[in-house]
Amino acid sequence: MNFILITNKLSKKSFSSFKSKHFSINAIDYSQLTKLTFIDKNIIFDDTLLDLENPISYLRAIREKISSHKVLIFFVIELINHTHRLDSDSLVLRKYPSRYWATWNSFFKILKASGYENISIDSISDIKNGAESSLISCAPKKVIRKKFLLSVIIPVFNEFETFPLLIQKVINKKLANFEIEIIIIESNSSDGTRGLVKKYQNTRNIQVIFQDKPRGKGYAVAEGLKKAKGDIILIQDADLEYDIDDYEILLEEISSFRSIFVLGSRHSGSWKIRKFIDMPFLTHVYNLAHVFFVKYINFLIGSKFVDPFTMYKIFYRDCVYGLNLKYRRFDFDHELVIKLYRRGFIPIEIPVNYDARSFTEGKKVSIFKDGLTWLYKDIFLAYENIDYPIVKGKR
């Protein structure tokens, strides 16, 4: 594989470890880059890219030049951890103390705003304190859409009463700056829901996945993620506990590049987010269990979540690029949030409307069946190694 190193000055410290893995590397100056004719040569930027205060316009110009070629982009740079007091929401790099630095969050957003995809990070086993060299890889997008494509993933199992209302609301939803694709994963319901879902098999902008048996919400969502083509992912349950009208406020943070990962928090000043009118004792059990597991996860990974288990999880599809998601039930909510956080994607939490349904109305999560497994699974998720896959081969 042939590489071109783009640099103002050869950074031996950050480049030596990468150089030993590859060959045919030519070092050139930034100013020469726009004069090159690209064939199948790939590009490496060393950390002098951070000498540019705002590299977005520069990276956009490069993308326009190389988007028709099978080119991979690599960045060998030092990133500041999100625990440092930097403006991690900014699309402009900040001086700290005498040169420009970026967090993984801010650099990811810079690449997305510049028109790159398949973004991944390597060379670190976890996000750690302080600056260290990281290898970031990506590819230029061939086509830049005028609007974002939003993939709404809807796992469905035994939702005969609520599915028709929910799907019609999503179909009718109009969002400025967004086109919507809907992915329905039906898990062989026993109450007639499958028949309702079949009506949408040949509907424009809707993909339907039929599973031969129920394997859990997590398994269904993972299947949907494999089929999603959108720039942005939104997970939507079919039970009408959440308000579709909250889409706008949640997506505004993503589409404006102010955030990479958004959670729709069900808390509105009170920890009592569930109210089962017919089961008051169980209401207290579930609310207390929620508080416990939030504090439990925050303790394990050093986060400050308020409601990590919310159904509303919105993120760029690149966030889960190469991520191995293996949990099948409601432990998937724990796995997705913990792994994204440990990858360096720090969510913002935005209050949303929430109307909890009871078990007699179809609620499926079991604090006893599921909760006991979360105790040890969360520990495993907090300490297992996370792969940061580098883009390999052709796109």
Side-chain angles (χ1 to χ4, degrees):
M1 190 177 287
N2 296 322
F3 287 90
I4 300 171
L5 172 66
I6 310 301
T7 181
N8 285 333
K9 57 183 185 297
L10 185 60
S11 178
K12 295 181 180 179
K13 179 180 177 182
S14 62
F15 184 60
S16 58
S17 61
F18 185 72
K19 185 177 180 180
S20 63
K21 302 177 184 178
H22 303 281
F23 55 92
S24 299
I25 301 174
N26 300 312
I28 67 170
D29 186 84
Y30 280 114
S31 60
Q32 297 176 270
L33 183 56
T34 55
K35 302 176 183 178
L36 292 177
T37 300
F38 294 94
I39 304 175
D40 280 323
K41 290 188 176 181
N42 302 286
I43 301 172
I44 306 169
F45 289 92
D46 76 348
D47 63 1
T48 57
L49 179 72
L50 299 182
D51 290 335
L52 303 174
E53 180 178 356
N54 190 344
I56 292 178
S57 58
Y58 181 81
L59 291 174
R60 282 177 177 170
I62 300 305
R63 189 206 63 79
E64 291 174 2
K65 185 174 181 63
I66 65 178
S67 61
S68 61
H69 300 280
K70 297 174 181 176
V71 176
L72 302 179
I73 314 293
F74 297 87
F75 300 89
V76 185
I77 64 175
E78 287 187 346
L79 297 176
I80 291 290
N81 182 260
H82 61 80
T83 57
H84 286 256
R85 298 184 64 83
L86 292 178
D87 183 4
S88 61
D89 288 336
S90 178
L91 287 177
V92 179
L93 306 183
R94 299 298 184 189
K95 280 193 174 182
Y96 183 81
S98 58
R99 65 165 301 181
Y100 292 98
W101 296 91
T103 65
W104 171 225
N105 265 280
S106 62
F107 197 75
F108 183 97
K109 285 184 282 190
I110 286 169
L111 292 177
K112 293 303 297 182
S114 303
Y116 294 84
E117 62 185 354
N118 296 346
I119 304 167
S120 63
I121 187 169
D122 200 5
S123 302
I124 55 175
S125 58
D126 202 346
I127 300 297
K128 299 177 180 178
N129 290 330
E132 67 177 80
S133 292
S134 301
L135 177 62
I136 298 169
S137 57
C138 63
K141 295 180 72 172
K142 286 188 174 182
V143 178
I144 302 296
R145 300 185 183 96
K146 292 183 178 180
K147 293 185 175 183
F148 290 98
L149 179 60
L150 173 68
S151 294
V152 179
I153 296 177
I154 308 176
V156 181
F157 179 64
N158 287 348
E159 301 289 358
F160 187 84
E161 296 295 330
T162 58
F163 174 75
L165 297 173
L166 181 282
I167 191 62
Q168 209 53 52
K169 285 186 176 184
V170 177
I171 290 173
N172 294 336
K173 191 67 179 176
K174 304 299 181 184
L175 296 166
N177 302 319
F178 284 92
E179 296 177 355
I180 300 176
E181 72 162 0
I182 301 169
I183 304 173
I184 306 170
I185 308 92
E186 203 287 322
S187 301
N188 202 8
S189 302
S190 58
D191 67 346
T193 303
R194 174 161 286 208
L196 298 175
V197 173
K198 284 182 178 179
K199 298 177 182 179
Y200 297 92
Q201 273 185 286
N202 300 314
T203 304
R204 184 174 176 268
N205 296 330
I206 296 181
Q207 296 185 60
V208 179
I209 302 170
F210 290 111
Q211 297 181 322
D212 58 350
K213 62 180 179 180
R215 294 182 174 89
K217 175 188 173 180
Y219 186 89
V221 173
E223 289 294 293
L225 286 171
K226 293 176 184 176
K227 297 292 184 179
K229 299 176 182 178
D231 306 289
I232 297 167
I233 304 293
L234 185 150
I235 300 173
Q236 171 71 60
D237 286 349
D239 55 14
L240 292 177
E241 287 188 317
Y242 294 78
D243 189 349
I244 305 298
D245 289 336
D246 285 326
Y247 277 18
E248 282 85 353
I249 190 171
L250 296 170
L251 290 167
E252 170 62 23
E253 297 299 316
I254 294 277
S255 61
S256 62
F257 299 103
R258 288 198 295 267
S259 183
I260 299 167
F261 178 23
V262 172
L263 296 174
S265 175
R266 294 167 289 180
H267 289 272
S268 57
S270 172
W271 60 274
K272 298 177 181 179
I273 62 175
R274 295 176 180 86
K275 296 178 182 179
F276 308 146
I277 297 175
D278 54 342
M279 298 178 178
F281 175 74
L282 206 55
T283 296
H284 290 298
V285 171
Y286 270 72
N287 284 329
L288 287 171
H290 178 92
V291 172
F292 169 79
F293 278 107
V294 170
K295 292 184 179 296
Y296 186 57
I297 286 180
N298 285 339
F299 171 77
L300 288 174
I301 64 175
S303 55
K304 296 180 180 179
F305 293 127
V306 175
D307 186 16
F309 316 123
T310 174
M311 177 273 296
Y312 271 154
K313 297 178 178 66
I314 305 96
F315 49 87
Y316 282 100
R317 183 161 55 95
D318 286 279
C319 292
V320 294
Y321 179 74
L323 193 64
N324 180 23
L325 297 169
K326 56 192 176 184
Y327 290 161
R328 297 190 170 192
R329 284 183 55 80
F330 296 98
D331 45 11
F332 175 85
D333 287 315
H334 294 236
E335 180 182 24
L336 180 60
V337 169
I338 291 174
K339 285 186 173 180
L340 289 183
Y341 182 88
R342 291 188 59 208
R343 269 194 165 187
F345 300 119
I346 313 305
I348 64 169
E349 298 188 59
I350 298 174
V352 296
N353 297 301
Y354 179 67
D355 184 15
R357 65 176 178 174
S358 68
F359 289 91
T360 56
E361 294 172 311
K363 198 166 190 68
K364 301 178 181 71
V365 64
S366 169
I367 198 64
F368 304 105
K369 181 179 180 179
D370 295 300
L372 292 175
T373 66
W374 297 341
L375 290 170
Y376 67 85
K377 286 182 178 180
D378 287 347
I379 294 175
F380 182 75
L381 289 168
Y383 293 101
E384 71 171 329
N385 289 330
I386 296 180
D387 293 329
Y388 295 85
I390 187 172
V391 179
K392 296 181 180 180
K394 296 181 179 180
R395 288 181 283 151

